[in-house]
Amino acid sequence: MAAGVLLLSGCSSGDGSGSTEPPPSPAAAAPSPTTSSSLPPAKGSVRVVSTTAEGLASPWGLAELPGGDLLVTSRDERTITRIAGATGRRTVLGTVPGVSPAGEGGLLGIAVSPAFATDRLLYVYFTTASDNRIARLRYDPQGEAPGRQLGAPRTILRGIPKGPIHNGGRIAFGPDRMLYAGTGETGHSGLSQDKKSLAGKILRMTPDGRPAPGNPVPDSVMYSYGHRNVQGLAWDGQKRLWASEFGQDTWDELNQIVPGGNYGWPEYEGRVGKAGFVDPVARWRPSEASPSGIAFVRGSIWMAGLRGERLWRIPLSGNPDKEPLAPPQSFLEGKYGRLRTVLAAGGDRLWLVTSNTDTRGDPRPGDDRILMLQVR
């Protein structure tokens, strides 16, 4: 366990390179306490089971199809690739038109429709020449050659500010079947506190991009604000939303998200302890983290670190007070370089995506990879 990790009870957090909380929405109903028998152990473990894929170029988003195959986006090549979960066989589905890679922007997050078996829809978050946006497109391999299996994208949300840095990009469907998106403030910190801007926010919308019922501000997709650059989204066993976030020079953060919450940036970074702001559950020095994707497996949040080049485990107590069960614990430090994305794979398994071909890493033979981990 790194000595620089501090646990907190309640505010904001770079890549290495006051409002009162409103009544909870249906997506944030108060959870029931978790019994001690279901709590994770204070200390965990990680074992690399296999390499699912290697030789990937700038992989960013990862999603699982029904049946266990994976979809991975390439930030810079603008492609979506299907990877057979059992064999690792790769098929390029196609290139997403309109993507304009630059800096930290490009083809970023991906999510599979909750109704994929009937609608065959994929959702992507990407950077264009003018903005960041979210679109959905149909995937149907029947009768189509590899590289031509994606339908034309239909934009469901546009106008998310873009920049050379801090474009956010993570998207995921929640337990409420609404689509959530983490955005960045593009280096313009004032946008995080501007409720009229989509930058520096967590957004919540219907599958067709409309403001979701129960959002804190009627007719708005804004769910929380005061973020610097949200990179990871995950729900725990009590359906509580968690998010990882880049800090600047002082603190990176893991936050439990409440609807309408103000997470402090740019006024505060890390713990503030003031009414009207939500403090982080855990914080790290950027050299130890620069967090990206997160996943919930076996009672713990697992968080990938870019600059920190390690995987963090944060065991959750299961109580509404948000305090972790034990201090965070790190694994795989420096062994695979920069770590971008994690995804729950069922049971005690976790997929982990490296990120050494993103222009900021030091690529090694075989980079970039998708690894299968067994975790506890």
Side-chain angles (χ1 to χ4, degrees), residues 164-342:
I165 58 173
H166 303 171
N167 288 286
R170 196 70 63 182
I171 57 174
F173 279 96
D176 55 0
R177 298 173 73 89
M178 297 293 109
L179 182 64
Y180 293 72
T183 73
E185 36 79 295
T186 71
H188 296 86
S189 59
L191 297 178
S192 296
Q193 294 291 325
D194 182 355
K195 295 183 181 179
K196 295 181 180 179
S197 173
L198 297 178
K201 310 292 188 296
I202 292 177
L203 312 177
R204 177 175 177 258
M205 68 201 80
T206 65
D208 58 6
R210 293 176 296 177
N215 276 1
V217 179
D219 301 319
S220 171
V221 295
M222 187 194 77
Y223 194 65
S224 63
Y225 67 107
H227 300 287
R228 187 167 184 260
N229 190 24
V230 176
Q231 289 286 287
L233 299 170
W235 289 262
D236 64 19
Q238 299 180 46
K239 300 182 181 180
R240 298 177 298 181
L241 175 59
W242 298 81
S244 59
E245 181 172 339
F246 283 154
Q248 188 172 33
D249 301 318
T250 308
W251 297 116
D252 292 334
E253 301 178 355
L254 176 69
N255 289 296
Q256 184 184 328
I257 304 301
V258 296
N262 183 352
Y263 288 80
W265 183 256
E267 297 180 44
Y268 301 101
E269 181 180 354
R271 185 182 185 184
V272 55
K274 289 189 176 182
F277 297 93
V278 184
D279 280 354
V281 174
R283 63 182 184 177
W284 295 261
R285 296 297 184 185
S287 61
E288 297 174 323
S290 293
S292 192
I294 61 174
F296 176 75
V297 176
R298 290 292 175 96
S300 297
I301 293 290
W302 298 83
M303 186 180 80
L306 291 166
R307 181 180 170 190
E309 297 188 354
R310 68 197 77 177
L311 179 68
W312 285 100
R313 175 187 184 265
I314 305 95
L316 303 183
S317 68
N319 295 320
D321 61 12
K322 305 186 301 184
E323 292 185 3
L325 180 70
Q329 184 180 6
S330 66
F331 299 92
L332 307 178
E333 184 176 345
K335 188 170 183 179
Y336 294 99
R338 292 162 59 85
L339 306 180
R340 171 70 65 181
T341 297
V342 286

Side-chain angles (χ1 to χ4, degrees), residues 22 68 94 107 119 139 153 233 267 270-271 311 346 357-358:
L107 182 57
D119 64 26
Y139 165 46
L233 299 170
E267 297 180 44
R271 185 182 185 184
L311 179 68
T357 58
D358 65 349

